[in-house]
Amino acid sequence: MGKKITRVVLAFVIIGVVIGGLVGFNSVWNSIFGSDAQKAAVGDCMQNKGTASNPKMESVDCGSSTATYQVSEVHDDTSDTSVCDKKYSAYTESTGGRRHRSSVVLCLTHLK
């Protein structure tokens, strides 16, 4: 009976380690390979390389003539643009599938 309990406990520990490793791996993967919007921090500058109806925000040097927006706020794990005050332009981006979706809202100050 004691060996059976030990095996069950060991199985749960192994499952926990595997799940924790997968969550950690996903976080590291997104920080390395995620989009510029998902990696953005307050103070970063962005340029829209897409269109007004289909924006694609990319990080640029703030001293660059292509810098059009500066990130004023970052809201992770939401796609609700109402988190941005009306004085900002809100940009939202979601990646991933139905089960593992990652969303971010950037509140942007227009520079030009």
Side-chain angles (χ1 to χ4, degrees):
M1 183 77 170
K3 286 185 178 184
K4 186 175 184 179
I5 292 174
T6 302
R7 286 183 182 162
V8 170
V9 169
L10 184 59
F12 277 111
V13 169
I14 291 171
I15 290 170
V17 169
V18 168
I19 291 172
L22 290 174
V23 169
F25 176 77
N26 187 42
S27 176
V28 169
W29 181 270
N30 283 338
S31 70
I32 294 171
F33 299 108
S35 72
D36 287 354
Q38 291 177 326
K39 294 187 279 185
V42 171
D44 288 352
C45 290
M46 308 292 284
Q47 172 189 14
N48 182 7
K49 293 268 192 156
T51 63
S53 61
N54 189 19
K56 180 172 180 357
M57 302 305 275
E58 289 190 8
S59 182
V60 294
D61 184 82
C62 288
S64 167
S65 62
T66 60
T68 340
Y69 299 97
Q70 187 166 32
V71 179
S72 298
E73 296 175 9
V74 177
H75 301 276
D76 291 316
D77 301 321
T78 184
S79 57
D80 180 7
T81 58
S82 70
V83 296
C84 295
D85 190 87
K86 299 282 186 218
K87 65 184 176 182
Y88 300 122
S89 296
Y91 172 76
T92 185
E93 185 175 288
S94 297
T95 60
R98 289 186 302 189
R99 299 182 79 194
H100 301 287
R101 181 167 301 277
S102 176
S103 299
V104 65
V105 173
L106 302 179
C107 304
L108 304 169
T109 300
H110 196 75
L111 297 175
K112 298 179 181 184

